Structure formats: C-alpha cells, structure tokens
C-alpha cells in the first residue's frame, strides 16, 4: 500500500505491506481522502515526528474488513476521529479529555495519508459515524476539525448572545465563527487577507480586515485561531475588561501574555486542543444539517502532491487542503 511518510523535513511516497485485521477487533478501511490539519504542518516543520511517521487524521474511508460488535459493516463509508479518552482518569473527570493519557496513546494506524488504515473497535464504538449522504467526501472530512472548534466554544463558556471575536480566518477560523454562531453568539471575524474576510461575510457573519477594525469593539470572548505573533496584541486590544481569550493556535515566538494585563483587567486566558466524543457528535449533527457550511472550502490534491498541498497551505495559496487517496 502507498503511504506518505516523513523523511527529514519533507514528505515522500513509499510502498509498505498492506495491513490486515488479523485477530484484532476493529476494521481495515480504505482511505478515500484525508484533510490536511495545521497540526500536521507544525509536526513536519518543527521536526516533532520521527522519520517514517505517517501524518493525517481527518479521514473519510470505506470499510473493507471488519470484526466488530458495532453495527458497521463492509462497504460502509465512515468518518472518524483519531483519539478516544478513557473517561475514568482525573483528566477526564475534570473535563480535560484531551490531556488524558489514553487519549494521547490512541490513534488510527499508520495515519490518514495512507491507502489503508486500521481503525480500532474503540474508535468504531466512540467516534466513528456513517458519512452523511448529503455531504461530499471533502466536506465530511471537516468532522474532526469542527469538533475541535466546538470544544473550544464550550470551554470558553460564554453566555448566549455574547460578542465573540475570531482572529484569523483560515479554515479553523471559518469553522470557529460558524460554531460560535450555532451556539448563539454574536460573531465578528477578522483577518489580513481580504478574500477570507469576504468568505466569512458570504456565510452571513460580520467580518473586517484587521486594519479596518473599529477600536470600540470589545468582545466578551476572543478566539485566537491565527498562528501569527501579531494576534496576541490584537486579542488584548479587543477583549473587554473581565473577558476571555481562547487560544487555539501556537505562535512562533511563544511569548505569551503580559501578566499585568491579565491581573489588572481580570482577563481569563485558556487553551483548547482536541474534541471529546460529545463534541464530535455535535460536529456530526451541525455538518449533516448544514448549519455549518463547508462546501467549497477545500482544494483537492492527490496523495503524491501532499508536499505541494503543505507548501500551498503555508503560503496561504489555499484555505484547506483535502488529500484524495483512493476514491
């Protein structure tokens, strides 16, 4: 089977022996396609994964071999996430499911940028769904990233009708803004790229170029989905005193927030990482109902152009890359 694996600081296509189910519970799936996540790019750029690693986790796939107590069967087309919390540890009991050690150890094997993947019984039981018939494969691949955004919305804990500002309108920013709206917030988005501002406007959400933002804007919650260091002072400028900043991105300099701003203004700064099964269920329902719209957000690349997809994403030539593998 073909896989796209890491070799030093780039991606190469290799042939590996096709995986089989053997005596395991779960399923072997034929990957139809996989979304490219920003975390995949970070892992590659900053050498966070060893050579031979197969990245990718936002999969749409067809079951070709199964041994499961679930209702899934051969030929079913499914979407799934890649991590499952144990539900029993102190992290899970305190609502920090993405910090659960079991959560971090579970994964699809070898990774989504592969022709075939093993999906465990635990995945099938907790985080897998039949692909909605009214969604294309590249639309359905937004299931996991939208789940991440929904978790961030819930963690922020804003009251209904609160003002929420999303800084950075890449694919996650577009999803975050729509998730906030679906949860009853008054949403504003901003970015330096005019086409992205116009895209959010076309979805019925107020948006501005950062250079044209009104100083009087004061958000109850600021959702930082931009990976730029300049997003930090922007967040501090537009959050109201006593407000919240939700961090959903890493920044190059990793400078953090000024202690005195947090102290004197009584700000709450919190992070959000990966979704729980409940967040993923909400994601599934919002995508299926098309309350969150993702049609036309993806650019489709074949597996052997994964490196180009990464480069194009980094250079802001595409909003979201979907890697078509077997469909």
């Amino acid at each position: 089977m073909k896989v796209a694996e890491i070799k030093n600081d780039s991606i190469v296509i290799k042939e590996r022996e096709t995986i089989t189910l053997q005596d395991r519970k779960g399923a072997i799936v034929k990957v139809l396609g996989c979304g490219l996540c920003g975390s995949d790019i970070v892992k590659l750029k900053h050498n966070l994964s060893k050579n031979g690693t197969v990245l990718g986790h936002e999969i749409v796939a067809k079951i070709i071999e199964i041994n499961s107590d679930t209702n899934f069967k051969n030929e079913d087309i499914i979407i799934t996430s890649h991590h499952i919390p144990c539900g029993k540890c102190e992290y899970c009991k305190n609502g920090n499911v993405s910090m659960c050690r079991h959560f971090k150890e579970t994964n699809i094997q070898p990774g989504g940028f592969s022709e075939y993947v093993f999906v465990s019984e635990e995945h099938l039981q907790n985080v897998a769904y039949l692909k909605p018939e009214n969604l294309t494969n590249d639309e359905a691949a937004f299931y996991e990233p939208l789940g991440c955004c929904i978790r961030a919305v819930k963690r922020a804990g804003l009251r209904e009708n609160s003002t929420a500002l999303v800084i950075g309108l890449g694919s996650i920013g577009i999803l975050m803004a729509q998730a906030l709206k679906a949860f009853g917030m008054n949403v504003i988005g901003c970015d330096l790229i005019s086409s992205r501002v116009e895209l959010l406007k076309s979805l019925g959400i107020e948006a501005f170029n950062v250079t044209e933002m009104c100083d009087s804007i004061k958000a109850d919650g600021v959702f930082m989905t931009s990976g730029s260091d300049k997003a930090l002072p922007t967040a501090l400028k537009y959050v109201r005193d006593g407000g919240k900043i939700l961090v959903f991105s890493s920044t190059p300099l990793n400078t953090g927030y000024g202690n005195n701003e947090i102290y004197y203004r009584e700000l709450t700064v919190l992070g959000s990482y990966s979704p729980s099964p409940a967040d993923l269920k909400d994601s599934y329902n919002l995508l299926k109902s098309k309350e969150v719209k993702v049609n036309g957000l993806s650019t489709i690349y074949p597996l052997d152009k994964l490196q180009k997809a990464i480069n194009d994403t980094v250079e802001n030539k595409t909003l979201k890359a979907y890697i078509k593998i077997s469909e």
Side-chain angles (χ1 to χ4, degrees):
M1 66 180 188
K2 285 184 179 180
V3 302
E5 65 178 47
I6 293 176
K7 184 177 181 181
N8 300 325
D9 57 353
S10 63
I11 297 292
V12 295
I13 306 299
K14 290 286 186 71
E15 284 285 345
R16 292 189 187 178
E17 184 177 352
T18 299
I19 56 176
T20 58
L21 198 54
Q22 299 172 348
D23 59 352
R24 296 179 291 184
K25 297 281 284 186
I28 300 297
V29 299
K30 183 178 184 180
V31 181
L32 304 179
C34 181
L36 175 64
C37 178
S39 67
D40 295 323
I41 297 173
V42 169
K43 289 173 185 176
L44 180 64
K45 285 181 63 180
H46 298 284
N47 299 312
L48 300 180
S49 297
K50 62 184 180 180
N51 282 343
T53 298
V54 178
L55 299 171
H57 52 266
E58 301 171 3
I59 67 168
V60 181
K62 179 186 290 187
I63 296 174
I64 62 167
E65 185 181 0
I66 188 166
N67 175 22
S68 173
D69 295 328
T70 64
N71 292 324
F72 292 113
K73 61 185 185 303
N74 279 339
E75 301 299 311
D76 280 346
I77 297 177
I78 65 169
I79 51 177
T80 185
S81 185
H82 53 318
H83 298 314
I84 308 108
C86 72
K88 302 173 183 177
C89 69
E90 288 303 309
Y91 293 109
C92 288
K93 289 177 181 177
N94 284 292
N96 305 121
V97 293
S98 56
M99 297 297 105
C100 167
R101 297 298 177 253
H102 183 72
F103 182 94
K104 294 178 180 295
E105 291 169 358
T106 49
N107 211 332
I108 55 176
Q109 301 169 10
F113 299 128
S114 171
E115 285 188 301
Y116 298 94
V117 159
F118 169 67
V119 177
S120 76
E121 177 78 341
E122 197 172 6
H123 285 85
L124 295 176
Q125 291 172 340
N126 292 284
V127 294
Y129 290 89
L130 290 173
K131 183 186 80 70
E133 293 183 359
N134 65 336
L135 297 177
T136 62
N137 290 345
D138 61 291
E139 291 169 352
F142 282 96
Y143 161 68
E144 191 272 344
L146 177 59
C148 292
C149 295
I150 289 169
R151 173 166 173 76
V153 172
K154 291 179 181 178
R155 275 182 60 74
L158 300 179
R159 292 183 296 107
E160 190 172 356
N161 293 318
S162 292
T163 297
L165 172 65
V166 178
I167 300 175
L169 301 179
S171 61
I172 287 294
I174 296 294
L175 293 178
M176 188 74 76
Q178 293 189 78
L180 284 160
K181 183 178 179 181
F183 277 78
M185 307 302 156
N186 299 313
V187 187
I188 303 169
C190 66
D191 200 288
L192 285 169
I193 300 175
S194 296
S195 60
R196 296 182 176 184
V197 171
E198 293 305 315
L199 173 59
L200 192 60
K201 286 181 180 179
S202 74
L203 295 170
I205 297 175
E206 190 174 13
F208 300 93
N209 190 294
V210 176
T211 61
E212 299 172 351
M213 290 275 286
C214 177
D215 288 347
S216 64
I217 291 174
K218 294 300 176 186
D220 301 297
V222 174
F223 291 74
M224 202 180 81
T225 56
S226 167
S228 168
D229 290 303
K230 294 179 181 179
L232 297 172
T234 304
L236 288 168
K237 180 178 180 179
Y238 292 110
V239 67
R240 69 163 172 81
D241 291 349
K244 297 179 180 180
I245 297 174
L246 189 292
V247 181
F248 194 84
S249 59
S250 58
T251 54
L253 295 180
N254 193 27
T255 52
Y257 295 84
N259 180 75
N260 288 356
E261 288 258 24
I262 296 170
Y263 173 57
Y264 287 112
R265 298 179 62 195
E266 289 194 346
L267 300 178
T268 300
V269 179
L270 67 162
S272 188
Y273 187 53
S274 288
S276 70
D279 304 323
L280 290 163
K281 183 177 181 180
D282 288 338
S283 172
Y284 175 83
N285 289 330
L286 287 174
L287 286 171
K288 185 177 180 180
S289 68
K290 299 206 171 183
E291 189 171 352
V292 170
K293 299 176 176 61
V294 294
N295 56 300
L297 296 187
S298 298
T299 302
I300 299 174
Y301 298 78
L303 182 62
D304 61 4
K305 297 296 183 183
L306 174 56
Q307 185 64 57
K308 176 174 171 50
I310 291 169
N311 296 342
D312 286 354
T313 303
V314 170
E315 295 168 11
N316 291 324
K317 293 180 179 178
T318 185
L319 187 71
K320 176 72 173 181
Y322 171 82
I323 311 305
K324 183 177 178 180
I325 298 176
S326 301
E327 55 187 315

